[in-house]
Amino acid sequence: MSSESFRSQPFFVPGARAREAGDDVATNPSDAPTLGDVVAARYGRRDLLKGLLGVAAISATVSPLALAAARRAAASDELARFPFPELTAPPDETIHVAEGHRAQVLISWGDPVLPGAPAFDPKAQSAQAQAQQFGYNNDFVGFIPLDGPDHGLLVVNHEYTNEELMFPGLGNQSAKNGFSGMTRELVDIEMAAHGGAVIEIRRGPEGWQVVPGSKYARRITAETPIMLTGPAAGTEKLRTSADPDGRNVKGMLNNCAGGVTPWGTWLTCEENFNYYFSGKREGLPEPEMLKRYGLPTSAGAWGRYHDRFDMNKEPNEANRFGWVVEIDPFDPASTPKKRTAMGRFKHEGAANVVNTDGRFVVYQGDDQKMEHVYRFVTDAKVDAANPAANRDILDAGTLAVAVFRPDGSGEWRPLVQGEGPLTAENGFASQADVLINVRGAASHLGATKMDRPEDVEVNPKTGKVYVMLTANDTRTEAEIEPANPRAKNVFGHIVEITPAGGDHAAKDFAWEVLVRCGDPSVAEVGATFSPATTQHGWFGNPDNCAVDGAGRLWVATDGNSRGSTGRTDGVWGVETEGPGRGTAKRFFSVPIGAEMCGPYFTADDTTFFVAVQHPGESEDGRVSTFDDPSTRWPDFKDGTPPRPSVVAITRIGGGRVGT
């Protein structure tokens, strides 16, 4: 075992990372079984506790015949669907991509987005300038073609901010020092750096470029007017003093992953919205719901300068965040809409598929330990011939939560007021109550508690659904999860769901563990990568993922850079079919301190967009700040801080990425 395999967390935790650490505290009090309980029942807890290692462990996901074939494949590579030379670069201050590929920085924090936007000056920032420039910590990336795969709109989420890396002379800001250095001016810059961006891009002889002065260019911030729609809109719990009708909210917060619809809109998902709301829980309505959602917190200074983020002044404002937002990227004047029918929780993404019966299905993970996996199915069918007819299709449908059974079967349980325990006696007097407190409703239905469900993606070739489960190091011995037999799951795993009869709206599904992450050479880890996976190929902490046109799964990670594996985060190709099932291969790596986000392919697979988030963030005891960062990627200029950026990956000489 490498001495770095189980390194502890650094003693210094920047403000942004301290807020994200809230993900690592389970707030689900229900006694529903965890996925570990289910897997233990399925495979036998004694085997899990004994180690379930080597061939025995791998056999849980790969057959003996496949194992033999995988060993042959490891020697010959003849069966690999990922034939690129595997990346072996060590952790350092820059990005790396597999040989034969080019990784081009397309746009970075502070670059102009709107026509007339000022040039970025990191030492003279303003909220007015930032609202016209590319925001901070780009996460989800989606590409919507205009006239083919070489010209289109890039839609990008801006999740959160790292104050210590953004502002000169500020240093670490956290609850411990009361965010003492934060001023109204700095808070307003942060608010402008949140939200999202729409940029027009074109591929030419020199690679991808942003089209300057585009009529499509748009910045959405924490102040942009947004409409609340669907069953919860206008109800009492969404009304505030500034919006007595409960239908109009300012901004979107902590937008993590997302999706693109067949009718050309952008779905962007609010995740850790609780970080922004301060105050004291005593005296606030529904304290149990607030506790379940981690509200309020002392994780920022916004409430000091903006009353709407102080819950003791505006107790309902937090209910207006935690939704899926739909945006028309072709009309910069259009009003984004928060679709309340899809539920309120810490959304990671909104992967979607048009079902065999024509209805639209969206899979969603609730990114916190011991939370759940959800599915939303529209009432209406998608009108492929008339995109405008789908404009409000997401306002009516059925939200359901997943239950995983020990025998490898599962079911989706609808979250419908009046059905089962979702009654007024249990606190659900209306469908709006269910949607605002989805977590509580899911617990009443006995939903399976999971290990931080993050991205959930559909493979359009096979119809299978992949759930990224990042980690859960707070699990007890009685809650052992399938990643390994240890009580602390620091590496995570990937679950594969097969809808019954290929029907994504069906009540039933089958499930299987695709891979349990971690170093397979360390016995106590219990990882189940195939034997064809090399020492560079295994990974931990799956977060986002993408499926390319050939049906290949690509996994982006978050956590490797913070000490769980001794390597940086990046992108790995993971085989899901045939003899090589469970084989992973390293393709791309980020700079030290960074997280890998936003994997998205163009339709012809010739460009792979990825997002490098918070490069240079403090880790392993290294205190990283604007003035003394651990890397200055991508500019590497004195006085210029590290900048989150979107990267376009292409094959040198052309062709499909990853070949």
Side-chain angles (χ1 to χ4, degrees):
M1 177 176 67
S2 165
S3 61
E4 295 186 333
S5 294
F6 297 101
R7 288 179 296 177
S8 61
Q9 292 297 314
F11 68 86
F12 170 81
V13 183
R17 180 58 60 209
R19 292 193 288 273
E20 190 167 298
D23 295 348
D24 295 335
V25 179
T27 60
N28 186 344
S30 78
D31 57 3
T34 65
L35 187 58
D37 296 326
V38 173
V39 172
R42 184 174 181 187
Y43 296 123
R45 187 174 296 277
R46 178 179 298 177
D47 286 338
L48 287 170
L49 293 172
K50 285 168 58 180
L52 201 61
L53 307 172
V55 174
I58 299 168
S59 296
T61 55
V62 186
S63 71
L65 290 177
L67 288 175
R71 293 189 181 98
R72 292 194 300 271
S76 67
D77 211 31
E78 292 176 352
L79 301 178
R81 291 207 300 162
F82 298 95
F84 58 86
E86 184 164 48
L87 181 66
T88 61
D92 62 18
E93 297 182 20
T94 191
I95 59 175
H96 296 277
V97 69
E99 182 183 344
H101 293 79
R102 175 192 183 194
Q104 170 198 6
V105 175
L106 177 61
I107 190 168
S108 302
W109 166 51
D111 286 347
V113 171
L114 301 185
F120 182 53
D121 184 346
K123 295 186 178 180
Q125 300 178 52
S126 71
Q128 182 181 13
Q130 178 63 87
Q132 303 174 70
Q133 298 164 336
F134 199 64
Y136 204 81
N137 275 343
N138 34 229
D139 198 301
F140 173 75
V141 175
F143 178 78
I144 304 173
L146 287 171
D147 52 16
D150 293 335
H151 181 209
L153 302 181
L154 205 67
V155 295
V156 184
N157 292 355
H158 296 302
E159 186 178 6
Y160 66 93
T161 49
N162 288 78
E163 302 97 340
E164 76 282 0
L165 294 174
M166 288 180 67
F167 302 123
L170 185 65
N172 181 40
Q173 295 292 299
S174 69
K176 289 185 177 180
N177 62 25
F179 296 89
S180 58
M182 296 302 294
T183 64
R184 171 68 182 259
E185 180 183 18
L186 296 184
V187 165
D188 289 352
I189 293 171
E190 284 191 299
M191 293 175 68
H194 278 67
V198 179
I199 56 174
E200 182 181 354
I201 60 174
R202 188 188 299 273
R203 186 177 183 181
E206 301 302 316
W208 285 94
Q209 302 291 332
V210 176
V211 176
S214 171
K215 66 178 182 179
Y216 300 109
R218 183 174 192 177
R219 270 301 324 279
I220 294 164
T221 74
E223 297 276 29
T224 300
I226 296 179
M227 185 183 300
L228 291 156
T229 69
T235 57
E236 182 178 354
K237 292 179 183 178
L238 295 187
R239 298 171 187 166
T240 66
S241 58
D243 177 29
D245 292 331
R247 294 183 180 276
N248 297 283
V249 62
K250 290 201 296 184
M252 58 188 195
L253 298 175
N254 214 270
N255 292 70
C256 195
V260 173
T261 69
W263 52 93
T265 59
W266 164 28
L267 301 181
T268 174
C269 303
E270 296 180 306
E271 194 189 44
N272 295 304
F273 63 92
N274 58 310
Y275 296 158
Y276 303 87
F277 294 92
S278 57
K280 296 182 179 180
R281 191 175 300 156
E282 293 77 11
L284 291 174
E286 301 191 79
E288 288 305 312
M289 181 181 77
L290 296 180
K291 183 178 180 181
R292 182 69 181 274
Y293 281 86
L295 289 162
T297 70
S298 56
W302 291 20
R304 186 187 305 164
Y305 304 106
H306 296 272
D307 286 352
R308 68 188 179 107
F309 295 109
D310 183 337
M311 291 195 68
N312 297 118
K313 296 178 179 178
E314 284 291 355
N316 284 346
E317 183 72 8
N319 294 338
R320 294 144 64 87
F321 295 87
W323 305 100
V324 175
V325 188
E326 185 174 18
I327 301 168
D328 180 357
F330 296 97
D331 181 6
S334 63
T335 301
K337 297 179 179 180
K338 295 193 179 186
R339 303 295 190 182
T340 66
M342 301 177 74
R344 171 177 169 265
F345 47 89
K346 294 184 178 182
H347 296 269
E348 173 71 21
N352 55 75
V353 64
V354 177
N355 196 37
T356 51
D357 63 3
R359 289 183 291 170
F360 192 60
V361 179
V362 184
Y363 289 96
Q364 307 169 81
D366 185 354
D367 184 10
Q368 190 163 330
K369 292 174 183 179
M370 300 301 188
E371 290 303 332
H372 310 301
V373 176
Y374 297 88
R375 183 192 69 181
F376 179 77
V377 182
T378 60
D379 289 343
K381 297 180 180 181
V382 174
D383 188 341
N386 182 15
N390 306 307
R391 185 169 299 165
D392 295 316
I393 195 174
L394 296 177
D395 280 340
T398 301
L399 183 67
V401 66
V403 174
F404 295 80
R405 298 194 188 99
D407 63 356
S409 67
E411 68 170 299
W412 296 101
R413 294 183 179 173
L415 291 148
V416 178
Q417 194 276 335
E419 294 188 6
L422 304 185
T423 62
E425 290 75 17
N426 286 327
F428 305 102
S430 67
Q431 185 63 16
D433 287 341
V434 172
L435 296 170
I436 292 170
N437 186 15
V438 164
R439 285 183 167 182
S443 290
H444 276 284
L445 293 177
T448 306
K449 296 186 287 187
M450 309 288 278
D451 276 6
R452 278 193 67 188
E454 299 217 38
D455 209 1
V456 186
E457 290 285 341
V458 181
N459 188 325
K461 292 289 187 181
T462 65
K464 294 182 183 295
V465 181
Y466 295 96
V467 184
M468 303 295 110
L469 297 162
T470 296
N472 186 353
D473 61 4
T474 60
R475 212 166 3 95
T476 66
E477 290 284 350
E479 297 171 325
I480 287 177
E481 295 289 8
N484 54 69
R486 300 179 313 114
K488 290 191 174 184
N489 173 16
V490 297
F491 297 111
H493 56 287
I494 300 173
V495 167
E496 180 183 77
I497 292 174
T498 303
D503 180 2
H504 287 279
K507 175 184 176 182
D508 299 318
F509 61 86
W511 68 271
E512 186 58 272
V513 177
L514 172 64
V515 65
R516 305 175 192 183
C517 303
D519 187 347
S521 71
V522 181
E524 58 264 40
V525 169
T528 59
F529 290 101
S530 88
T533 302
T534 74
Q535 62 176 326
H536 303 288
W538 67 267
F539 58 85
N541 313 116
D543 186 333
N544 298 128
C545 63
V547 180
D548 66 16
R552 298 182 299 173
L553 178 66
W554 300 79
V555 175
T557 64
D558 173 24
N560 294 258
S561 295
R562 294 195 297 279
S564 72
T565 68
R567 57 186 68 186
T568 56
D569 286 309
V571 177
W572 279 259
V574 180
E575 183 54 80
T576 60
E577 301 178 42
R581 178 178 167 87
T583 304
K585 199 170 185 180
R586 190 170 178 232
F587 177 73
F588 182 87
S589 67
V590 298
I592 52 177
E595 170 188 346
M596 186 81 269
C597 301
Y600 201 94
F601 283 89
T602 54
D604 62 357
D605 293 340
T606 61
T607 301
F608 189 21
F609 296 104
V610 295
V612 177
Q613 191 180 92
H614 57 74
E617 188 173 76
S618 299
E619 60 174 2
D620 293 336
R622 167 67 156 86
V623 178
S624 187
T625 65
F626 179 104
D627 304 291
D628 183 25
S630 57
T631 179
R632 293 190 184 276
W633 183 86
D635 303 289
F636 294 106
K637 295 179 180 178
D638 290 342
T640 300
R643 296 201 288 161
S645 305
V646 173
V647 175
I649 301 172
T650 54
R651 267 196 61 78
I652 297 172
R656 292 173 56 240
V657 170
T659 59

